[in-house]
């Protein structure tokens, strides 16, 4: 996504949020009802954010576990390869020593 596209999206989202906030503030409800709506909106937003962060944490933990597992297998492959090469070099050295 280009920088101007990202800026446009941010501007649109910001404008929508500001418009929604102004709509709530200027609605023909009493002040206590408006404050309750705002409070409830923040509670919903907080729950949603906590849920998304929790999901991201679970995904990250799973990805980390897979990465560690893959690295462990790759490490074993590298060690096996190096052991084979070391054995070959020892054989060549033994032939040269004779």
């Amino acid at each position: 996504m280009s920088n101007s596209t990202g800026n446009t999206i941010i501007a649109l989202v910001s404008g929508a949020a500001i418009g929604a906030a102004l709509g709530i503030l200027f609605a023909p409800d009493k002040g206590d009802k408006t404050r309750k709506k705002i409070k409830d909106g923040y509670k919903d937003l907080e729950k949603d954010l906590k849920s998304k962060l929790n999901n991201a944490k679970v995904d990250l933990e799973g990805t980390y576990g897979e990465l560690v597992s893959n690295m462990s297998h790759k490490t074993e492959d590298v060690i096996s390869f190096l052991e084979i090469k070391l054995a070959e070099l020892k054989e060549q050295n033994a032939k040269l020593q004779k």
Side-chain angles (χ1 to χ4, degrees):
M1 177 174 11
S2 70
N3 194 22
S4 64
T5 304
N7 289 339
T8 302
I9 292 172
I10 290 171
L12 287 172
V13 170
S14 298
I18 291 170
L22 289 174
I24 290 172
L25 291 174
F26 289 109
D29 281 336
K30 292 182 180 178
D32 57 342
K33 287 185 180 181
T34 301
R35 286 188 292 276
K36 183 175 179 351
K37 285 181 183 179
I38 292 171
K39 184 178 177 183
D40 290 344
Y42 280 124
K43 285 182 182 179
D44 291 342
L45 183 63
E46 181 183 18
K47 287 179 187 177
D48 187 45
L49 185 59
K50 283 182 181 180
S51 174
K52 287 181 181 181
L53 287 174
N54 190 39
N55 290 341
K57 178 184 171 190
V58 169
D59 290 344
L60 185 60
E61 287 172 346
T63 302
Y64 175 75
E66 290 176 21
L67 180 63
V68 169
S69 177
N70 288 340
M71 290 303 291
S72 177
H73 292 296
K74 295 293 182 188
T75 302
E76 290 297 323
D77 292 344
V78 169
I79 290 171
S80 297
F81 174 77
L82 290 174
E83 287 174 341
I84 292 169
K85 288 298 179 185
L86 180 61
E88 290 174 2
L89 289 173
K90 283 183 179 181
E91 285 180 27
Q92 289 176 359
N93 189 30
K95 288 179 184 177
L96 292 174
Q97 295 288 329
K98 292 182 184 182

